[in-house]
Amino acid sequence: MSGINLLQSKIEVVNIGLPLFAEALAVQDIPVVQVDWTPPAGGDERLIELLDLLSE
Amino acid sequence: MTGHVVRNQIRSGFYLDSVALMRLSREVEDSPGVIAASMMIGTPSNKSLLESAGLLSVEGGKAGPNDLIIAIRGETAEAADGALGLAGEALDRPRQSSGDDGGWIPRALDSAIAMLPAANMAIISVPGAFAAREARRAMRRGLNVMMFSDNVPVDQECALKAQAAELGLLMMGPDCGSAIIGGAPLGFANAVPRGPVGIVAASGTGLQEVSTLIGRHGGGISHAIGVGGRDLSQAVGGATTLAAIDALDEDPGTDRIVLISKPPSVEIAQRIFARVATSSKHFTICFIGMDASELPGNATFAPTLRAAAEDALGGVSLGTGFDADIPRSHNRVMGLFAGGTLCAEAQAIFLAAGIEVASNAPVPGASPLGHGLAHHLLDLGADEYTLGRPHPMIDPTVRHRSIREALVDPGVAVLLIDMVLGYGAHDDPAGDIAGLLAGHDGPRPVILASVCGVEADPQIYPEQVATLEKAGIWVAPSNAHAAERAVSMIAPSDA
Amino acid sequence: MEKIEQANKIAVGRMLDSDPVLVDVRPAGEIISGLADGVILHAGPPIGWDRMCGPMRGAITGAIVLEGWAGDLAAAGKLAQSGDISFQPNHHFDAVGPMTGLITPSMPVMVVENRKFGNRAFCTLNEGLGKVMRFGGNDGEVLNRLRWLASDLAPALSRALADREGLPLKAIIARGLSMGDEMHQRNIACTGLVLRELAPSLARTSTDPETLAGLLSFIGGNDQFFLNIAMAMGKAIMDPVRGVDGSCVVTAMSRNGTDFGIRVSGTGDQWFTAPVEMPNGLYFPGFSERDANPDMGDSTIVETMGLGGFAMAAAPAVAGFVGAGSAGDALNYTRSMLEITVGRNPEWTIPALDFTGVPTGIDIRKVLETGLAPVINTGIAHREPGVGQVGAGIVRAPMACFEQALEAFAAGMGVGGVS
């Protein structure tokens, strides 16, 4: 058993990064939400480490 | 670079996605007196790319990984400074928003999921240094991942794939640009009909070529799963390939499974074949560049992408009757490819015919460039050709310079090119080449092309083929056919 | 981290459970404990005279004259520099004040009691527009108006509030949001609602129709009268959120014209400061950004509780006034603030966003994760003392405050220690 049930599901996408991938899905009527991604904490490694330690 | 002026400017803490930066760079490059323009985030690897392109100044060298470097090489100081100004204006232009909700685009993953509560897939194409973190967060929220980003450290790839296995999720990539899940083309993929063939591919254009060949010849795809270029490496051990095989093995809609990759190590290949042997489904093994080895009884070896498609279709022969009426020549073949695996397949075909070939991305047996070999098969999507520019699949104009050089090179007898269609790709690559040829006077080499796509693609396969043929380009029914035809045109003394 | 999620839930729960009621207006020296002669309370995090901006200094000299601690502004300036005056942040005395935010003993302050938690918070009365002390004004006209507030308006309001046993504020905010106020740069609706509520009691407790008419026209003629009530309410709501162990919800945002400071629940009363930024906005005719003073005031307590810039979607008119763009843009400001908050306030909803509750409880982790700094709607003061307001705009809380806060918070949680 793979445990993966994605292949039996209808695809709905969160697109993190290049908008062209979301645009391609949108024209096919595949549900997609674009994330306006920027580097977390301005890309500061120390702060990202703290965010990871303090999240979830 | 004497007589040229290099100017760099740094914007601290500025971020814009790489494709947007490339578009703006090209815009600036088009202004008079500008030889080259590039805007890149100041990571060490980007800085070395800029340096090797002669675009890095002392000033730009000081940029950190959270800074944007605007790099210009101009004919004069005035032109370079003017271009810096233009670049600044382009960067400050308000970004266009699109979509519903009044054009609002959320920043946070959780906001996106709140807007799309049934989301089950994250496509991640952020810079490699951040990609693993986004994937980790996405999987923790129950999303499968397709990661287009590359330059992700291999230990992070292993950790992500272990996390995916634990959570019962599919982790496609890093460096996965193409997939079709349940009929939904993701990334760079084609509108292939649904059918019984499942694909597991470590290569995007390999997946596209096989799926479109199947689609154009009456077959169809259940799912095509990308695993990333490094999945079958020793370090990663085929984690996603094995998970994908498991998933397709269980999938009632899949009867046959095609595996596409560069040749893995013997150990990893054995691990994959051991898994294949436990399945009751038929497998096609297309490890381009590998010698046919001992496969399980339920598997067939396919040396090319075309052969893989033929086996998946039940052993038919594709594209018979293609015969371009081209005389033999003592001159060279120049292959200018947008698709990396299409370039690899062409090399494999040359080598199988006993013809030496050089490439910037050589397959086992081929030579690197600079060995004075006649026949060049180049992957123009490789980093050295796409510095600060879009991939040629997205923007065919980045191939223009190389094509123009080949057109006027009297030593080139045959120009071999590919056209990759589908979602994400340029909307009219054939029209682009036709336009380029229309502007060319005088003799030119024979041009042999193949088109990777299907009728239902946004670019419409038959229309692209017609455009090429009208422009005097021979269109082969597959990339392998084109390469074989090129081989057959090489005069025996050159072979 | 589960402990943080629980603590933040408690923090936001206290915000939502709060029951702020405007109960009285009293002289500050009488009701703020510790506010003695020689003490001046100011907006923002702690600051000494040497680092204060022009409007702050101008207001201080005016306040010294108002209190009679010096005979004129020149003498007041000398006294201010002498070290004999103690400058203290309002926030350390349960108080808040707009722009320069000065509170001295003779000034009347409104008293908002949080009936759920029993705490009280204080804010001065709004002086109106033009030349006023909150923008650094200090001449005779400014001081006379302050005297009138103390002699006439404050006692009348005090009597009226006693007559009706206080004025509950939560419902007024709820109605104001549906009438286009965001309670920072637009308070027209709430000011009108308060006037409507208080009018019968003001009339009943009035001794003289002419004085009453003067009061009513002062309140009715000042669109921002309610801002100071909203601020006292914000302080009354946010103070019980202080000191929740493990919570990374912001309990105060405040600026003194030089520094921007924030406080975070789980790190107690520590300020995390960074240089204030310049507002980005629209200027009144004849003024430009060259005239602007950097961001100033305790009024960001309004955003801290989820109003002001956070509730921009309720106030499309403000979006134009502060230069934030179209009504669609106004919606997006609120949507983006929902990305950095723990929850939303079901009692304070915004019709234009399908009655979404205002973003409530700023989570410093989300601010850093998204790079979205809290958005603040603000008035812009002239950099020279005494000129007054020259525009209105938008300013962001500096990211550096949140970076420092995250470091300190992580240390308090025992993670991320530098080895």
Side-chain angles (χ1 to χ4, degrees):
Chain A
M1 284 295 289
S2 66
I4 296 173
N5 41 33
L6 175 70
L7 304 190
Q8 268 57 257
S9 316
K10 186 173 154 280
I11 295 289
E12 301 201 13
V13 176
V14 174
N15 187 48
I16 307 168
L18 304 177
L20 84 111
F21 291 132
E23 289 156 14
L25 295 170
V27 300
Q28 302 173 72
D29 292 325
I30 295 168
V32 58
V33 172
Q34 172 74 26
V35 172
D36 179 20
W37 187 86
T38 60
D44 184 307
E45 282 177 29
R46 165 72 182 159
L47 293 171
I48 293 171
E49 182 197 348
L50 293 182
L51 285 175
D52 286 342
L53 289 167
L54 292 170
S55 72
E56 274 136 306
Chain B
M1 306 286 169
T2 45
H4 294 170
V5 181
V6 173
R7 285 272 196 279
N8 284 184
Q9 201 176 69
I10 294 179
R11 282 210 180 187
S12 292
F14 185 93
Y15 179 78
L16 195 62
D17 75 64
S18 56
V19 169
L21 285 174
M22 290 164 187
R23 288 194 176 129
L24 296 179
S25 302
R26 275 211 39 223
E27 199 179 305
V28 173
E29 209 169 70
D30 285 343
S31 56
V34 177
I35 299 161
S38 187
M39 296 185 230
M40 299 185 105
I41 303 298
T43 59
S45 62
N46 283 348
K47 282 199 284 188
S48 68
L49 284 172
L50 286 172
E51 185 162 27
S52 58
L55 271 165
L56 194 69
S57 73
V58 178
E59 169 77 9
K62 295 175 194 156
N66 300 313
D67 300 330
L68 174 74
I69 306 173
I70 308 171
I72 310 283
R73 194 164 73 238
E75 287 164 2
T76 62
E78 292 72 35
D81 290 337
L84 279 181
L86 278 179
E89 283 170 27
L91 290 169
D92 292 334
R93 226 162 25 210
R95 283 203 261 164
Q96 275 190 332
S97 55
S98 61
D100 298 325
D101 296 301
W104 187 67
I105 304 175
R107 276 281 176 93
L109 178 58
D110 287 324
S111 315
I113 293 172
M115 290 165 74
L116 197 66
N120 53 10
M121 168 72 67
I123 299 180
I124 296 172
S125 53
V126 304
F130 301 100
R133 181 172 188 272
E134 296 302 327
R136 206 159 54 229
R137 289 160 48 83
M139 286 196 282
R140 222 177 272 152
R141 289 159 175 77
L143 303 183
N144 298 273
V145 171
M146 170 169 164
M147 186 185 285
F148 178 69
S149 312
D150 55 7
N151 297 317
V152 175
V154 72
D155 59 320
Q156 293 186 9
E157 177 172 349
C158 294
L160 290 174
K161 289 181 170 178
Q163 185 188 356
E166 200 172 298
L167 297 171
L169 297 168
L170 193 56
M171 171 70 217
M172 300 190 283
D175 194 21
C176 170
S178 185
I180 304 172
I181 306 293
L186 304 175
F188 299 97
N190 305 80
V192 180
R194 295 208 72 178
V197 180
I199 296 177
V200 181
S203 132
T205 44
L207 183 154
Q208 288 188 271
E209 176 77 351
V210 173
S211 64
T212 54
L213 284 173
I214 290 171
R216 287 210 304 274
H217 293 88
I221 301 298
S222 57
H223 309 279
I225 298 170
V227 299
R230 218 166 39 191
D231 188 65
L232 289 169
S233 69
Q234 199 70 30
V236 184
T240 300
T241 301
L242 291 166
I245 293 173
D246 288 347
L248 290 172
D249 207 5
E250 286 162 21
D251 175 42
T254 301
D255 293 343
R256 314 172 71 91
I257 297 167
V258 181
L259 304 186
I260 305 166
S261 173
K262 292 180 295 201
S265 72
V266 174
E267 185 192 335
I268 301 301
Q270 291 311 319
R271 195 182 299 173
I272 302 296
F273 296 155
R275 172 63 187 87
V276 167
T278 67
S279 172
S280 61
K281 297 184 179 176
H282 178 82
F283 281 72
T284 307
I285 310 293
C286 179
F287 289 163
I288 293 169
M290 189 175 89
D291 294 329
S293 55
E294 288 197 12
L295 297 180
N298 60 333
T300 308
F301 182 75
T304 61
L305 300 168
R306 178 189 60 189
E310 287 173 338
D311 188 54
L313 285 162
V316 302
S317 184
L318 298 183
T320 52
F322 172 69
D323 186 21
D325 180 19
I326 311 168
R328 284 175 181 258
S329 165
H330 288 280
N331 285 335
R332 319 188 269 127
V333 174
M334 172 62 82
L336 299 174
F337 291 88
T341 304
L342 300 177
C343 180
E345 182 186 39
Q347 291 177 56
I349 286 169
F350 273 61
L351 294 172
I355 297 173
E356 283 192 82
V357 65
S359 176
N360 61 319
V363 301
S367 306
L369 295 180
H371 283 60
L373 287 172
H375 307 297
H376 283 185
L377 300 177
L378 304 182
D379 174 7
L380 295 186
D383 289 345
E384 57 268 36
Y385 293 103
T386 55
L387 164 72
R389 292 186 175 77
H391 192 279
M393 270 163 56
I394 306 174
D395 181 356
T397 63
V398 304
R399 215 162 36 162
H400 280 186
R401 183 180 295 183
S402 305
I403 292 178
R404 281 205 191 92
E405 283 169 9
L407 288 179
V408 298
D409 185 342
V412 173
V414 179
L415 175 57
L416 196 55
I417 55 175
D418 58 352
M419 298 278 140
V420 182
L421 312 183
Y423 293 101
H426 186 262
D427 57 11
D428 185 16
D432 174 77
I433 293 290
L436 185 68
L437 287 183
H440 173 78
D441 285 329
R444 63 161 174 82
V446 166
I447 306 177
L448 260 171
S450 69
V451 182
C452 173
V454 293
E455 186 159 4
D457 281 336
Q459 301 88 347
I460 312 177
Y461 177 83
E463 291 187 5
Q464 291 285 301
V465 170
T467 302
L468 292 174
E469 288 178 342
K470 210 174 146 199
I473 296 172
W474 294 99
V475 181
S478 72
N479 180 63
H481 283 98
E484 281 170 0
R485 195 66 193 88
V487 164
S488 73
M489 287 155 51
I490 297 166
S493 61
D494 295 336
Chain C
M1 216 185 260
E2 191 51 33
K3 179 181 176 183
I4 300 174
E5 314 311 328
Q6 287 306 322
N8 284 349
K9 210 171 274 180
I10 291 169
V12 169
R14 290 189 190 171
M15 292 173 71
L16 301 180
D17 289 346
S18 284
D19 182 13
V21 180
L22 177 61
V23 291
D24 205 349
V25 181
R26 312 294 311 166
E30 182 185 303
I31 199 153
I32 299 180
S33 101
L35 179 56
D37 275 1
V39 177
I40 293 180
L41 306 185
H42 61 78
I47 187 169
W49 174 263
D50 52 323
R51 294 184 64 243
M52 285 178 184
C53 66
M56 184 70 89
R57 288 182 174 188
I60 282 171
T61 53
I64 288 172
V65 172
L66 179 75
E67 294 297 332
W69 300 336
D72 57 31
L73 293 174
K78 284 200 186 104
L79 178 60
Q81 301 179 52
S82 69
D84 290 342
I85 300 287
S86 168
F87 300 112
Q88 299 289 335
N90 287 322
H91 267 286
H92 296 186
F93 291 80
D94 305 330
V96 282
M99 301 308 282
T100 58
L102 294 196
I103 303 181
T104 52
S106 74
M107 294 182 189
V109 290
M110 293 182 286
V111 182
V112 171
E113 185 174 290
N114 186 337
R115 289 198 169 150
K116 172 73 181 178
F117 297 100
N119 61 301
R120 291 178 152 203
F122 314 105
C123 184
T124 46
L125 289 161
N126 193 285
E127 307 161 77
L129 280 173
K131 223 191 272 182
V132 287
M133 183 169 278
R134 71 174 184 280
F135 288 109
N138 57 16
D139 65 9
E141 178 192 336
V142 171
L143 301 189
N144 282 337
R145 188 184 308 104
L146 287 170
R147 289 183 186 111
W148 177 80
L149 292 178
S151 62
D152 287 40
L153 181 60
L157 286 172
S158 178
R159 285 194 301 272
L161 287 165
D163 178 65
R164 50 166 295 146
E165 291 170 0
L167 174 62
L169 296 171
K170 263 182 145 174
I172 289 181
I173 300 292
R175 298 176 82 180
L177 283 169
S178 69
M179 295 166 74
D181 280 1
E182 41 70 273
M183 293 84 196
H184 197 162
Q185 286 305 305
R186 191 178 196 273
N187 282 285
I188 301 171
C190 283
T191 298
L193 289 171
V194 164
L195 194 57
R196 198 171 77 170
E197 288 284 335
L198 290 184
S201 295
L202 281 168
R204 194 176 301 125
T205 56
S206 166
T207 46
D208 155 35
E210 269 316 306
T211 308
L212 175 61
L215 303 176
L216 293 175
S217 82
F218 177 81
I219 297 172
N222 178 4
D223 289 346
Q224 283 290 74
F225 183 81
F226 187 78
L227 170 61
N228 297 40
I229 301 175
M231 288 174 61
M233 176 188 75
K235 179 68 174 161
I237 288 175
M238 293 317 298
D239 270 351
V241 183
R242 286 157 59 193
V244 177
D245 183 33
S247 167
C248 57
V249 163
V250 173
T251 56
M253 298 194 290
S254 180
R255 344 51 125 198
N256 56 33
T258 304
D259 299 321
F260 194 113
I262 69 168
R263 285 167 144 182
V264 174
S265 179
T267 54
D269 290 341
Q270 189 179 350
W271 288 101
F272 304 100
T273 64
V276 284
E277 300 186 358
M278 290 299 292
N280 192 350
L282 298 179
Y283 289 85
F284 299 160
F287 296 101
S288 75
E289 57 213 66
R290 285 192 309 278
D291 304 308
N293 194 71
D295 190 26
M296 188 165 63
D298 289 328
S299 55
T300 31
I301 195 71
V302 170
E303 274 80 9
T304 312
M305 69 174 153
L307 301 173
F310 283 51
M312 191 98 84
V318 162
F321 177 56
V322 299
S326 66
D329 295 327
L331 299 181
N332 290 346
Y333 277 104
T334 296
R335 287 192 180 110
S336 67
M337 292 302 99
L338 284 165
E339 298 203 76
I340 61 168
T341 47
V342 174
R344 36 193 85 182
N345 187 331
E347 290 182 86
W348 291 348
T349 63
I350 300 178
L353 273 182
D354 291 331
F355 296 93
T356 296
V358 297
T360 303
I362 302 165
D363 181 334
I364 60 169
R365 296 172 305 172
K366 295 184 176 186
V367 170
L368 289 164
E369 180 71 42
T370 59
L372 292 168
V375 62
I376 295 152
N377 290 348
T378 188
I380 304 175
H382 197 285
R383 62 216 302 265
E384 300 299 331
V387 181
Q389 185 169 4
V390 296
I394 284 184
V395 70
R396 296 274 184 173
M399 209 41 98
C401 298
F402 297 88
E403 293 171 358
Q404 294 166 36
L406 188 77
E407 279 282 358
F409 178 71
M413 296 297 290
V415 302
V418 183
S419 51

